[in-house]
Structure formats: C-alpha cells, structure tokens
Amino acid sequence: MLPLPTLAQNLGIAPEHLIQYGRDKAKVALEALEAARARRPRPGKLILVSAITPTPAGEGKTVTSIGLAQGLRKLDRSVALALRQPSMGPVFGRKGGATGGGLSTVQPATDINLHFTGDFHAVTAAHNLLASVIDNALHRGQTRLAPGGVLWKRVLDANDRALRSVRVAVGDPGERLSGFDITAASEIMAILCLAASRDDLRARLDRLVVGFTADGEPVPACEFRVTGALMALLRDALLPNLVQSAEGVPAFVHGGPFANIAHGCNSILATRMALAHADYVVTEAGFAFDLGGEKFIDIKCRQSGLAPDAIVIVATIRALKMHGGMPRDALAAPDLPAIRCGLENLRAHVGAAASFNRPVVVAINHFPTDTDAELALVRDFCAAELRVPCALSQVFARGGEGGTELAGAVLSLFDGADAAAAISYPKLEYVYPDDIPVTEKINTIARRIYGASGVDILPGAAARLVLFERAGFGRLPICMAKTQDSLTDDPKKPGRPQGFRITVRDFELAAGAGFIVALTGKMLRMPALPKVPAAEKIDLAPDGAITGIMGT
Amino acid sequence: MLPLPTLAQNLGIAPEHLIQYGRDKAKVALEALEAARARRPRPGKLILVSAITPTPAGEGKTVTSIGLAQGLRKLDRSVALALRQPSMGPVFGRKGGATGGGLSTVQPATDINLHFTGDFHAVTAAHNLLASVIDNALHRGQTRLAPGGVLWKRVLDANDRALRSVRVAVGDPGERLSGFDITAASEIMAILCLAASRDDLRARLDRLVVGFTADGEPVPACEFRVTGALMALLRDALLPNLVQSAEGVPAFVHGGPFANIAHGCNSILATRMALAHADYVVTEAGFAFDLGGEKFIDIKCRQSGLAPDAIVIVATIRALKMHGGMPRDALAAPDLPAIRCGLENLRAHVGAAASFNRPVVVAINHFPTDTDAELALVRDFCAAELRVPCALSQVFARGGEGGTELAGAVLSLFDGADAAAAISYPKLEYVYPDDIPVTEKINTIARRIYGASGVDILPGAAARLVLFERAGFGRLPICMAKTQDSLTDDPKKPGRPQGFRITVRDFELAAGAGFIVALTGKMLRMPALPKVPAAEKIDLAPDGAITGIMGT
C-alpha cells in the first residue's frame, strides 16, 4: 500500500484537491473532476460487477470487484474501484464488515466499516434536522401537513428493533406513531448517491416529498426552508472518499444506499471521479443482477448518462447447488446434477445482463470445496449454452494474482482495443421508457428481467399510485424492492421459476432521489440485533487497533 | 493563522502524533502527551475563566478566554487554549455558534460548530449502541432489568421537541415511555471528558449504571458485554482536537458536556495536552462560577488532580445593571446606582473563587455602550472592596491587542515568577470531602458557594438518594443542576439574594462519569426549535463556504 498523497499523485489528483482524514483516508474535492476531465477527456471503461441469486452468505461481489481490480493492476492496467461504504449498524449486529475479504480488501477496513469520514453521520444529521423542523411546524400549526400525513421518519445508523415503531411527540399536537429507519434507508442517502453536483443535490433536497396533505397534495421539503442547512450538513459528505485496496489499487468508497427500497449503488460522483482518473473502473451494484443490475441501469445510468462497458456476473458453485435444490447446510458436498439444474439461475441473470448489448463475463468465485469437475461443468455451460467467457476468481485466497484470469477475460471483451479508445457500443437501452404508465414499467421489468408472467398490484398500492401519478410523478423510474433470494418475490423459490406472478403490495415516493419504490413484500428498514450481537466480539486493543469486526 | 503542521511543530508535537482532518483540523495522538512530559516535566499554568451570573446572552467567557490567550501571545508568552466543542443541535435552533466572536474566535468556526472531527457523532453512536443492546436484551428476556427500571435513554445532537417523550418498542415486551436527550447530555460525553486514559475510559464505560432491578440493585453497563464495541466507536473521539484561534493560538477544542446535569468542561485529556505543550493554558467552565467554577474544582480537579493557578471572573456592565434591578431590555442605558447594587453578584462569585486560595482577577468584557464612569465604578469596587485586580477586555473588537490588559493582569498574579517556575500554592481544597453524606455535601455547596441558608430535599429525591447510597455511590462528588440565571434555584432572582433555601427535587446517578446529579429544577435535556429556527438562515455558498451560522 502507498502513502495516500502518493496514491493521489499517481492518479493525477492535485495536492490541493486531496483532503486527508487521518493518514489513510481522504476526500477528493469536486474540482478534481473537472481538472481530470480537462487532462484526459475520455473517461475510463466501466465494469459492473453483479451476481446470480446469492446464498445467504452472498456471492462475493465486493471481494470479486476488489480482486478483479487488483488483477487488472497485475496486468499493468490503470484501474480504480468505485464501491459503496458499508453501513455501521449491521457491523454490531449480524453481518460483519463489508470491505471484501482475504487478500482482496479495501483498507483501512475497520474505519470504513465504522465512522469512516463521517458521511453516514452527516446523512443522519441532515435527515433528522428535517424531521425536527417538520415536527416543530406541526407543534406550532405552521404547516399544511397533518400529523397523519407525515411520511418522513427519522434515521440512525444502528440495528435497533425498539426504534422500528415509536410514538413521537407524546402529549403534543404532533403525537403520532412513527419510527426510525437505518441511515442507509434514508432518502437523503439515495439523493447523495444520485446527485451529479452541488446544485443537483440542492434541487433534489428541495423537491423531496415529506408527506401529503389531506387533499393528496405532495408537500416538498423546500416548504420547511432548511435546504441550505441540509446542504451545510452535507458539504463534506458529497465529496468522494479515497482509500486503497490491500494491494494499493485506488478505491473511491462513497455512499451506501439500501439495495431494496433504494438503488444500492455507490455515488455517481465517486463513479465519475474514478472514471476520470483511471482507464478501467470496477464497480458493483447491490444484490443479484435482477435487482441491483436492473436498478444500476434503469436508475443510476438513466439519471446520470453513465453506461457499463462490460458486466461481470459472479457465481459460486455453492449457490448453483442451492438453486439446483440442495439444502443450504449441504452445499460443500459435490453434486454435479444439482449444479446442472442450478445453472438455469445463471442463465437468467446472464441473459438479462446481455440484453443491454454489453459484453458479459461469468466469474466463478472459488471456494476450497469446489471440485475440478464442478468448475468444468460451469465453464462448459458458459461456453456452449450462454456463449460468454467464464473465468475462475481466486481473489480471496490469492489477491490480485488470483484475479488475473478474470481480469484477462474482461480485457478480452474489449477486443484488444486500446484502453483509451472508444468502444462503439450501441446506446444503452433502458428496460422501459420514461413515458409509459408505472404499472407497465413494472410489468416490463418483471417479464423481461425476472421471467415472470405478469404483475398483480394490490388495491391499496394501486390507490397510492394514483396519488403519485396525479401529483405528476408518473414519469419517474421504478425502484423494485424485492427479495434478493429469488428471481420471484418469494424468497423460498431458488433456481429459475417459471410462470410466476409478482405482487406489488405498496408504493413509495422518493421524489428527491427520483424514483417510485414498488414494494413486493415487507422490507425491513431497521435491522435488529441477534441473540448474540457481533458487538460482543469487537474491542479496542491497547495499541489502538480495533479487533473483532468480522471480515477485517 | 498557521498551517496546522507548523502550528503543531511549534508546540513540539511530532508529525507522527498529528492526525489531520482536512487542512485546518487535527487530532493529537495520546502518545504526544507522554512525549511532551518527558521533554518539559513541569506543566504550564492553568488559568480558569469563569463568570458572574450572566444575562441570557452570556457574559462572553469563550470570547474572553480566546482573547486572553491571544493577549498572552501578544506579550510573547507560550500559550494554548483548552475549550469545549459546541453542540450542533442548538446551531440550528436558537443559539448560534459557540466559538467566540469578533476578532477572538477559534477556527474553522463553522466546522467546529457542525460535525468537527466527528466526536459528538461517535458519542451518539456509542450511547445508542448501548441502548439498542439493552432493548435487545429486554426483547429476549436476557436481562435482570425490567422495562420500567431502564434509565438509559437515547441521544441525538439535535434540537428536537418531538423526541423528548417517546414510546419505544411499540408492541414489543420492552415497550415503554422513554425519550432522547441531546448528545451533550449523554453520560458518555461526560465520561469522555473525565477519562484520564484509554483504560480509564473503559473502566468508566464498564461501571456506568443503566438502570436498577426491581430490588434496587444497580445494573452496570458491563453486563451487556459491549464495552469493547463502545471503545472501538470512541477510539478517535478520545483524542484531543487541535485547531487555532484567529490569531494563531493553538486551541485544544475537545468534548462538550452539559453544564447543568454534567460538569460542563472540556476534556481532561485536552487540558493536560495543552498544559504539556504550553506555559500558559486558558480554559473555561460552563455557566457562572457558582455552578461551573464549583464543578470544575469539585469534579474535574478532584477526579484528575488538576488545579487552576489563577481564576478569571468575567463580568459585563450589562449584567451588573441587570443584577441591580434594571429590566433586561434597558441594559444599554447608563445607570451607576444599578451597577453599584449589581456588584454584589460579582462579590459573591469573586468571594467563592478566592476561597480556593487561588488568585482571582476580574475581566470586564467591554461593550460599546459602557461609559467611563461605569467602568471606573467597577474598577474601584474591585480594588477597594474585593481587593482583586480588574482589567478591561476588548477582545471582541480588537482581538489579542484588546486582551493585553487582561493578560498583563493575569501575569501579575504570578508575581513575575518565571513561567517555568512552580508557584507554591497550598494544595487545592475542595468544597467538601468525599466521605461526608451527600446531603451534607450539597448543604456545604449551597451555603459556601451560593450563599444559601440551607437545603430542602423533597421526599422523592430523598428516597432515590437512599437507593444510590445503599448501592455504594455515596462517596461520589455532587453535580449540581441549577439555573444559571441566579445564585438561587429560582431564575427570576438576580443580584445577590440572602436567606434563601435550595430545593433538591431529584437525584440522578452518573456512576461512569463519577458523580451524583442533584436536580434543583426541571432541566431540559433536549432543546426545542423556536418559531423561526436558525437553520433557516444557514446555507452553503457556491464556493463551498457555509454561511449564516450566528457568530461565525
């Protein structure tokens, strides 16, 4: 790893644009983006890492992304990462860190998993300032919102079951049932990640809808006159963070919106900053391709004009067995027929990814229990049936060395074109156009991406949709909130189900982020602590090192 | 102002002990303390700035502290500041910033008033992690605490009326009425400020009492097994922050506990860090001397072994008129008789301060409306009646130049002794010894410091005190929570009341901070927003500057 000023210098970031937070973390001034674009007008190539429907442990998108970037570096390519910052709450709950693993991590992993540079805290503060101002207006009768019409809750970056359902303002005119979401679920987090600039951030904060009047009129946040204060609170949080992988690959780790009720990608500014400074940029989208990949394209790319130049679909032998019907506690045992059957899940995701006219490569995230016969089966399937390259990724155990096969496969997608050359892809086609009805948008996603036969919208949801469309929000893209455990909306259905229908139970409006959330099930916005919270293992050693965060 | 690395270098702080947060803020590693002590074994002289009973606008302790330090610098003395960090919540409410004013400020004032280096956020996160773990244990029936016995609430650094009284865990076994305090009121904030070291921080977190069992047994936080996780969250927050005044005086701005239910002083580590690196250290204590000064000595000094070498009592002509009976909206008009009468309030505070066998100087914080005759009256009173030096402080308008008279007066207290020489003061005598009953301690404070004739303890309070004393906490010092607007416990009684009694309405235990809080009235732990919150004036300019924070 390099001293951070050297890392930045190697990227071409001027010292005056590097704002250090301690020795190993920094923010990069937005001015660096313009400076880099003036220097190298053609941005780098964007490689999107997504996955098949995962096991509960995940397919390893983050570790694969980091390892792929390290592999590209081993092949002497100029490369950077653009990744989400993990949420702190789950670190104390069940999940452990989310900064890769083994020899493919971003560092300082403990800091990134905790306060990092304070961005989540800034989002928490901004979200709750708006909440306090709304409640102050309710208390004083200064708003056309009625207590029952307030949709804006509060947030904390914590796993706290007792805050899910909370009666606030007890004894006050504003008393009502409300609650706290985890900060990653704040619309302000999604807004921060989708903002293209300071001005765009301000415009989005102004127009975010905090509730509806009794007549069904949307009430935008700007009515509460604190957008300037929110901007002040978010001043530094808007700047992308710069750290590095364990092998010294620059990593812009910035923003962490939920992947269900939000779009689940790092910030647009971090992606742009990476693309402006490196020839190849590896990024990821939350959950499997049906959820995260689709939202990456239909929300992040649609709003920003970005487009992936290649798509990596990560799969594990374990997940393929699960999709082939093996019980989750037996996935270490060899079973070729189960894999053969489970490969239909891979086919679905690769098919969806390839439909965007971008080259796709499959990465097998290697586990020690994988057999040669199992790996060969997957490789043969990719070649013969899917007609996409397939590479073994051993980045957890071997770091960048274990990522060169995948890196080579990715580079081969570009046909040996010079890194600086444009690739003449057709313009990225989104799944649906802006100007069709919301129900039609959802139908298109469900049929084309999930393989569903149709969509049912429950009456309550339909009524809310009427409210949103009447208020003029019908042109927004859709943010599907669906289980990550199945192509269907039923987490108990692995593999490649056929003839199923998707049920939309509710809609939510994220007018500042710029999407309508379609909820296909109960989405938990505030996680809880398990019987033995992970916090019990975490400690501060006498030398000041933080120990016990899983995966660090 | 100097580049921060130069500022640190001038203090003798090694580069490896300076951890920068952006260009103009830093933290200092605790190792710098040992290094400095090895280099210059005799610490600097500690100058405590306190005040008379203030007007609602405050007497200007912070601006006087900063200006005095700048004045000492003008007189070529080696000097540093040790100050509290202001709370962010009130910045959006009514109060504006608390980083001095005019030409005597600490910088970057906007950052210090907002996120600064994230210390308040870390305290918030640690406090709420403990709360979430307690509620998780209640939910699962894993604790001997009953929901009704939980005293640990949650905190946010916000002014949020709707969170004062909140029903948490609605529908869960742990459902109960609880609430949020502002972060400055968190016991963890007081603990952070009183911790002498990492080990001491851990021991205090372990022993803080989160509630009582049905049998009246105290339940310490260590039963919830997350002290290590709290330590991880507080790792960086424990390190003193280093910034500078507008004239380049180093300022350790660290910690911000409430001055009513807590002791209201910056951290012990910041004070020690300043004393280890400069010949003269200017610090302040919250509220007037009867509250802040007494707690500085009886809590901060008692727990740390620190002692002031001199005490400055700040007074304004405006406040003296108020104490002499003038209405608050007429304080700009000249009125010698009112001042003559109001000087009795100054006599009370100077008398209390002088009783600790440390030299006292009165600083008149100058306002443009002050007349020469008014100033002469105060000067004469100090010389003839109080027999202490009195100096005019014009630091708001003139910076360090306006502080040289006060700086000279302070230096004269040390009898021309060389800065590095020991002054042979008698050992600091606290107001009361550890081993007398709590009620006797309060009686002693009330009679000796407030001038009361006695103390009444309401029956409910007495019952709680029995609980605390039975549990073995009777030896702790007392943290008086009393109005700052009067020497009595009635904010409507300015001047120098006689023959009054103090009523203790309740007691609270802060076993980790190491004191028992005696509440003499209703103390608001969560401020509210006014009709027009200050947030409405705050904005982010296109150049990235934050505007509209009052006093910055």
Side-chain angles (χ1 to χ4, degrees):
Chain A
M1 288 176 64
L2 296 168
L4 213 52
T6 312
L7 184 90
Q9 192 179 21
N10 292 352
L11 283 173
I13 295 172
E16 67 266 28
H17 293 152
L18 189 75
I19 305 152
Q20 279 198 244
Y21 280 60
R23 261 169 259 295
D24 42 14
K25 308 177 283 290
K27 284 192 165 280
V28 181
L30 298 184
E31 290 72 21
L33 194 53
E34 292 316 309
R37 283 169 168 174
R39 220 166 46 239
R40 36 197 307 288
R42 197 185 304 285
K45 291 187 174 34
L46 184 59
I47 302 155
L48 170 65
V49 175
S50 187
I52 66 168
T53 305
T55 69
E59 291 304 274
K61 283 190 306 293
T62 306
V63 74
T64 304
S65 298
I66 299 167
L68 167 58
Q70 293 185 151
L72 285 163
R73 160 68 61 87
K74 293 273 179 207
L75 301 180
D76 289 324
R77 294 314 196 280
S78 141
V79 59
L81 283 152
L83 298 174
R84 282 177 296 171
Q85 178 187 350
S87 181
M88 185 170 72
V91 170
F92 298 112
R94 195 186 298 268
K95 200 164 123 36
T99 44
L103 295 184
S104 293
T105 58
V106 280
Q107 296 295 338
T110 51
D111 288 30
I112 295 171
N113 280 303
L114 296 177
H115 306 298
F116 198 22
T117 57
D119 296 345
F120 275 54
H121 293 318
V123 169
T124 302
H127 186 116
N128 293 334
L129 172 60
L130 182 55
S132 71
V133 170
I134 293 170
D135 266 300
N136 191 47
L138 285 171
H139 171 78
R140 295 173 188 278
Q142 289 174 341
T143 171
R144 55 193 181 118
L145 267 178
V150 182
L151 297 174
W152 196 252
K153 301 198 293 177
R154 287 174 176 78
V155 298
L156 270 185
D157 191 6
N159 277 25
D160 195 341
R161 182 188 298 103
L163 291 183
R164 280 179 185 162
S165 188
V166 157
R167 245 188 128 66
V168 298
V170 174
D172 193 87
E175 177 172 341
R176 69 191 183 282
L177 195 63
S178 183
F180 283 69
D181 296 337
I182 193 166
T183 298
S186 165
E187 187 182 342
I188 293 184
M189 179 63 84
I191 286 174
L192 190 81
C193 291
L194 289 167
S197 64
R198 275 208 193 102
D199 288 345
D200 187 34
L201 176 64
R202 184 186 295 269
R204 288 169 181 271
L205 291 170
D206 264 343
R207 68 178 179 246
L208 78 82
V209 168
V210 301
F212 284 81
T213 66
D215 301 335
E217 291 270 329
V219 177
C222 59
E223 289 194 11
F224 297 90
R225 298 175 302 281
V226 293
T227 303
L230 302 182
M231 289 294 293
L233 282 170
L234 296 172
R235 182 194 62 182
D236 299 337
L238 186 64
L239 312 185
N241 302 298
L242 177 62
V243 291
Q244 60 189 306
S245 84
E247 294 181 7
V249 171
F252 294 91
V253 177
H254 191 220
F258 256 29
N260 47 39
I261 62 152
H263 62 297
C265 307
N266 66 263
S267 76
I268 283 175
L269 283 169
T271 303
R272 287 207 185 289
M273 195 70 87
L275 288 168
H277 288 94
D279 291 340
Y280 297 91
V281 171
V282 182
T283 193
E284 63 163 317
F287 294 161
F289 190 86
D290 60 328
L291 273 173
E294 184 270 317
K295 293 198 274 193
F296 181 89
I297 286 167
D298 278 318
I299 296 176
K300 182 168 174 171
C301 292
R302 186 190 300 258
Q303 291 200 13
S304 65
L306 290 166
D309 293 294
I311 300 171
V312 177
I313 300 292
V314 181
T316 59
I317 298 292
R318 298 167 59 87
L320 293 171
K321 287 178 193 164
M322 180 187 78
H323 290 302
M326 279 185 80
R328 282 178 184 173
D329 54 2
L331 300 178
D335 189 333
L336 291 178
I339 293 175
R340 204 165 285 128
C341 177
L343 281 166
E344 291 306 313
N345 185 274
L346 176 64
R347 188 200 298 273
H349 291 289
V350 167
S355 74
F356 294 96
N357 289 313
R358 293 298 183 275
V360 174
V361 56
V362 170
I364 306 175
N365 180 15
H366 182 253
F367 275 69
T369 48
D370 299 348
T371 67
D372 287 348
E374 289 172 333
L375 296 172
L377 177 59
V378 179
R379 283 183 192 273
D380 290 348
F381 180 82
C382 288
E385 300 270 330
L386 305 182
R387 298 179 186 278
V388 297
C390 171
L392 189 63
S393 169
Q394 299 181 288
V395 300
F396 183 97
R398 297 175 54 216
E401 277 301 340
T404 50
E405 181 183 330
L406 176 58
V410 167
L411 290 175
S412 73
L413 299 178
F414 303 127
D415 287 330
D418 180 76
I423 312 176
S424 56
Y425 289 132
K427 187 184 174 315
L428 186 67
E429 280 203 27
Y430 309 121
V431 174
Y432 49 85
D434 292 335
D435 55 3
I436 61 173
V438 168
T439 50
E440 223 175 294
K441 294 177 186 175
I442 298 170
N443 248 292
T444 311
I445 298 169
R447 288 170 190 269
R448 176 168 152 197
I449 308 294
Y450 308 160
S453 57
V455 173
D456 301 310
I457 301 199
L458 296 190
R464 267 170 97 82
L465 186 56
V466 168
L467 189 70
F468 297 165
E469 289 189 314
R470 272 204 197 131
F473 297 108
R475 283 181 60 90
L476 292 178
I478 307 307
C479 180
M480 294 300 295
K482 182 179 79 70
T483 176
Q484 70 261 42
D485 294 331
S486 172
L487 282 159
T488 77
D489 57 9
D490 176 355
K492 297 204 183 65
K493 292 193 178 143
R496 175 64 195 266
Q498 300 285 351
F500 61 92
R501 295 182 67 82
I502 295 287
T503 305
V504 177
R505 295 166 190 284
D506 204 359
F507 284 104
E508 286 183 6
L509 177 62
F515 50 69
I516 287 173
V517 185
L519 292 147
T520 65
K522 177 109 188 107
M523 294 296 141
L524 268 184
R525 287 172 171 72
M526 172 52 91
L529 293 172
K531 195 164 163 25
V532 180
E536 295 190 15
K537 300 280 183 297
I538 296 173
D539 205 354
L540 183 67
D543 66 353
I546 292 169
T547 59
I549 296 181
M550 279 186 275
T552 67
Chain B
M1 291 176 64
L2 296 168
L4 214 52
T6 312
L7 184 91
Q9 192 180 22
N10 293 351
L11 284 172
I13 295 172
E16 66 266 28
H17 294 152
L18 189 75
I19 306 151
Q20 279 199 244
Y21 280 60
R23 261 169 258 296
D24 43 13
K25 310 177 283 288
K27 286 192 163 280
V28 181
L30 298 184
E31 290 71 20
L33 194 53
E34 293 316 309
R37 284 168 167 173
R39 219 165 47 236
R40 35 196 311 286
R42 196 184 304 285
K45 292 187 176 31
L46 184 59
I47 302 156
L48 170 64
V49 176
S50 188
I52 66 169
T53 305
T55 69
E59 291 303 273
K61 285 191 305 292
T62 305
V63 74
T64 305
S65 298
I66 298 166
L68 166 57
Q70 293 186 151
L72 286 163
R73 159 69 61 88
K74 293 273 178 207
L75 301 180
D76 290 325
R77 295 311 197 279
S78 140
V79 59
L81 283 153
L83 298 174
R84 283 177 295 170
Q85 178 187 349
S87 181
M88 184 171 73
V91 170
F92 299 111
R94 196 186 298 270
K95 203 165 120 39
T99 44
L103 295 183
S104 293
T105 57
V106 281
Q107 296 294 338
T110 51
D111 288 30
I112 295 171
N113 280 302
L114 296 178
H115 306 298
F116 200 22
T117 57
D119 296 346
F120 276 53
H121 293 317
V123 169
T124 303
H127 186 116
N128 293 335
L129 172 61
L130 182 54
S132 70
V133 169
I134 292 169
D135 266 298
N136 191 48
L138 285 170
H139 170 78
R140 295 174 188 278
Q142 289 173 341
T143 171
R144 56 194 181 117
L145 267 177
V150 181
L151 297 174
W152 195 253
K153 301 198 293 178
R154 287 175 176 79
V155 298
L156 269 186
D157 192 5
N159 277 25
D160 196 340
R161 183 188 296 103
L163 291 182
R164 280 179 185 161
S165 188
V166 156
R167 241 185 133 66
V168 298
V170 173
D172 193 87
E175 177 171 342
R176 67 191 184 282
L177 195 63
S178 183
F180 283 70
D181 296 338
I182 193 165
T183 299
S186 165
E187 187 181 343
I188 292 184
M189 179 62 84
I191 286 174
L192 190 80
C193 290
L194 288 166
S197 64
R198 273 207 195 104
D199 288 346
D200 187 33
L201 176 63
R202 185 186 294 271
R204 288 170 181 269
L205 291 171
D206 264 343
R207 69 178 179 247
L208 79 81
V209 168
V210 301
F212 284 81
T213 66
D215 302 336
E217 291 269 332
V219 177
C222 59
E223 290 194 10
F224 297 90
R225 296 175 304 280
V226 292
T227 303
L230 302 182
M231 290 294 292
L233 282 170
L234 296 171
R235 181 193 63 181
D236 299 336
L238 186 64
L239 311 185
N241 303 299
L242 176 62
V243 290
Q244 60 190 307
S245 84
E247 294 181 6
V249 171
F252 294 91
V253 177
H254 191 218
F258 256 28
N260 47 38
I261 61 153
H263 62 297
C265 306
N266 66 263
S267 76
I268 283 174
L269 284 168
T271 304
R272 286 206 185 289
M273 195 69 88
L275 289 168
H277 288 94
D279 291 341
Y280 297 91
V281 171
V282 183
T283 193
E284 63 164 317
F287 295 161
F289 190 85
D290 60 327
L291 274 173
E294 184 270 317
K295 292 198 275 195
F296 181 89
I297 287 166
D298 277 319
I299 296 176
K300 181 168 175 171
C301 292
R302 187 191 299 257
Q303 291 201 13
S304 65
L306 289 166
D309 294 293
I311 300 172
V312 177
I313 301 290
V314 181
T316 59
I317 298 291
R318 300 167 58 87
L320 292 171
K321 287 177 194 165
M322 180 187 77
H323 291 303
M326 279 184 79
R328 282 179 184 173
D329 53 3
L331 300 177
D335 189 335
L336 291 177
I339 293 175
R340 203 167 286 128
C341 178
L343 282 166
E344 292 306 312
N345 185 275
L346 177 63
R347 189 199 298 273
H349 291 290
V350 168
S355 74
F356 294 97
N357 290 312
R358 292 299 185 275
V360 175
V361 57
V362 170
I364 307 175
N365 180 16
H366 182 254
F367 276 69
T369 49
D370 299 350
T371 68
D372 287 349
E374 289 173 333
L375 296 170
L377 177 61
V378 179
R379 284 183 192 273
D380 290 350
F381 179 82
C382 288
E385 299 270 331
L386 305 182
R387 299 178 185 280
V388 297
C390 172
L392 189 63
S393 169
Q394 299 181 289
V395 300
F396 183 97
R398 296 176 53 217
E401 277 301 338
T404 50
E405 182 183 331
L406 176 58
V410 167
L411 291 174
S412 73
L413 300 177
F414 303 127
D415 287 331
D418 180 75
I423 312 176
S424 56
Y425 290 130
K427 187 183 173 317
L428 185 68
E429 281 204 26
Y430 308 120
V431 174
Y432 49 86
D434 291 336
D435 56 3
I436 61 173
V438 167
T439 51
E440 225 174 293
K441 293 177 185 174
I442 298 169
N443 248 291
T444 310
I445 297 169
R447 289 170 189 269
R448 178 171 151 194
I449 307 293
Y450 309 160
S453 58
V455 173
D456 301 310
I457 300 196
L458 297 190
R464 266 171 98 82
L465 186 54
V466 168
L467 189 71
F468 297 166
E469 289 188 313
R470 272 203 198 130
F473 298 107
R475 285 181 58 90
L476 291 178
I478 308 305
C479 179
M480 294 299 295
K482 182 178 80 67
T483 176
Q484 70 262 41
D485 294 331
S486 172
L487 281 158
T488 76
D489 58 8
D490 177 357
K492 297 203 182 66
K493 293 194 178 141
R496 169 63 148 140
Q498 301 284 352
F500 61 91
R501 295 181 68 82
I502 295 286
T503 305
V504 177
R505 295 169 189 283
D506 204 358
F507 284 104
E508 287 183 4
L509 177 63
F515 50 69
I516 287 173
V517 184
L519 292 148
T520 66
K522 177 112 187 103
M523 294 295 141
L524 269 184
R525 288 173 172 72
M526 172 54 90
L529 293 172
K531 194 164 164 24
V532 180
E536 295 191 13
K537 300 280 183 297
I538 296 172
D539 204 354
L540 183 66
D543 67 352
I546 292 169
T547 59
I549 296 181
M550 280 187 273
T552 66

